[in-house]
Amino acid sequence: MKFRAYLAASIVAIIAAAAPRTANAEVSPLDLVGPIAEYKIFIGENLEKLVSETKAFTDAVKAGDLEKAKKLYAPTRMNYEIVEPVAELFSDLDGSIDSRADDHEQKEKDPGFTGFHRLEYGLFSQNSTEGLAEFADKLQADVVELHKRITDLTFPPEKVFGGAAALMEEVAATKISGEEDRYSHTDLWDFKANFDGSRKIFELARPLIEKSDGAFVTKVAGNFDTVDKTLSKYKTAEGYELYDKLTDDDRSVLAAAVNTLAEDLSTLRGKLGLN
């Protein structure tokens, strides 16, 4: 409770600064204090889990346990993907933790290519843990640093509530092709985490706009349910089917659901008066 009170108090000044930009008379800047504090706690809890599970994952990599490392890759990443709606707030670490080969001049051979996808490349494409110890140590250090930053990191409401739509747009525009987890094909784990992270933001905004626009709330909640139902078709005892097993029709259905969700969430900031 003390931690929650501290977070709420630390956020009041930030929210108050947004007051001149708040156009929706039904949503006061101070109405956003509670939801933002709750979201910051949510992020902190997931990053704590990320640190713990990344340690187990990177330990397996460094121990040369290829099969264990492969098994831990996707579920460990979910803890990072769930906080991705606000990755813009720690862009330097996001680049180190989650960049793709295409972001670097020499692609997979570039020394700046680090993080989850560098390890994914070694484990799944090279089918080896050889030479990955330094990248494992770097990833662990980066997630520890991210977790340390969160307490003092500011969470501007427009970034939080805008982040849900931005992430869904990214999923629809690029991730749906399967290009993110291109070596392991564990994209569906990422999608689930991305949707859960965006849904958390929507649920925190829901009480603030339900009275003024109940139809919108009902529609978005239904669209999230549709995405969850679509993903559940590919659930397995181990997690999710590999993405390369999905047909073009499967991907089209998923893309349509994501696009609809992205369009709805793109209006969320405006409904909260944060545009």
Side-chain angles (χ1 to χ4, degrees):
M1 292 300 292
K2 289 182 179 179
F3 181 54
R4 288 173 179 262
Y6 164 73
L7 284 179
S10 69
I11 290 167
V12 168
I14 300 164
I15 306 298
R21 301 192 299 275
T22 301
N24 186 347
E26 295 190 20
V27 180
S28 158
L30 291 180
D31 289 337
L32 300 173
V33 172
I36 295 295
E38 284 294 322
Y39 185 66
K40 192 169 184 178
I41 291 168
F42 171 79
I43 293 294
E45 290 172 345
N46 278 280
L47 289 180
E48 185 173 354
K49 190 176 177 185
L50 174 67
V51 169
S52 174
E53 294 192 8
T54 300
K55 179 68 164 56
F57 168 57
T58 55
D59 280 352
V61 172
K62 292 190 292 181
D65 193 336
L66 180 63
E67 292 310 310
K68 182 176 181 180
K70 284 183 174 181
K71 185 176 181 179
L72 292 177
Y73 170 74
T76 300
R77 260 183 68 74
M78 289 183 79
N79 299 301
Y80 187 75
E81 292 296 300
I82 203 169
V83 306
E84 197 172 1
V86 289
E88 181 184 347
L89 302 181
F90 41 85
S91 58
D92 59 328
L93 285 174
D94 183 53
S96 180
I97 292 170
D98 201 37
S99 69
R100 304 168 199 176
D102 297 343
D103 298 328
H104 304 275
E105 185 176 353
Q106 300 176 53
K107 298 189 182 297
E108 285 87 355
K109 294 182 179 180
D110 199 299
F113 178 39
T114 62
F116 275 111
H117 293 304
R118 178 60 184 85
L119 293 172
E120 179 200 8
Y121 170 67
L123 296 173
F124 294 91
S125 182
Q126 304 301 107
N127 203 40
S128 173
T129 61
E130 186 176 353
L132 297 183
E134 63 177 300
F135 296 110
D137 285 338
K138 169 68 171 166
L139 176 61
Q140 181 64 22
D142 284 341
V143 299
V144 168
E145 172 61 23
L146 178 55
H147 183 244
K148 287 180 180 177
R149 277 193 201 180
I150 288 302
T151 300
D152 296 322
L153 193 64
T154 59
F155 278 59
E158 64 273 17
K159 298 293 186 183
V160 173
F161 294 109
L167 180 56
M168 289 302 97
E169 288 166 1
E170 182 187 353
V171 173
T174 62
K175 292 189 177 189
I176 207 75
S177 69
E179 56 103 37
E180 176 148 21
D181 292 297
R182 66 190 69 175
Y183 318 110
S184 63
H185 307 296
T186 55
D187 304 81
L188 291 175
W189 278 261
D190 282 11
F191 293 171
K192 173 60 174 171
N194 289 164
F195 296 136
D196 286 350
S198 294
R199 187 165 200 164
K200 178 65 175 181
I201 292 171
F202 165 69
E203 291 296 342
L204 290 171
R206 184 172 185 160
L208 301 179
I209 55 180
E210 201 152 25
K211 290 183 179 178
S212 61
D213 200 342
F216 170 78
V217 167
T218 299
K219 181 184 178 186
V220 177
N223 288 335
F224 270 114
D225 288 342
T226 296
V227 170
D228 277 340
K229 185 176 180 181
T230 302
L231 283 175
S232 70
K233 292 166 53 179
Y234 311 111
K235 197 85 171 63
T236 69
E238 297 294 319
Y240 288 91
E241 293 280 3
L242 296 182
Y243 197 55
D244 58 346
K245 291 186 177 181
L246 271 65
T247 66
D248 288 342
D249 285 344
D250 289 332
R251 295 189 187 199
S252 294
V253 169
L254 187 56
V258 176
N259 274 309
T260 299
L261 197 52
E263 289 173 7
D264 287 340
L265 291 176
S266 68
T267 68
L268 191 58
R269 277 189 9 166
K271 291 182 182 296
L272 293 169
L274 293 170
N275 282 340

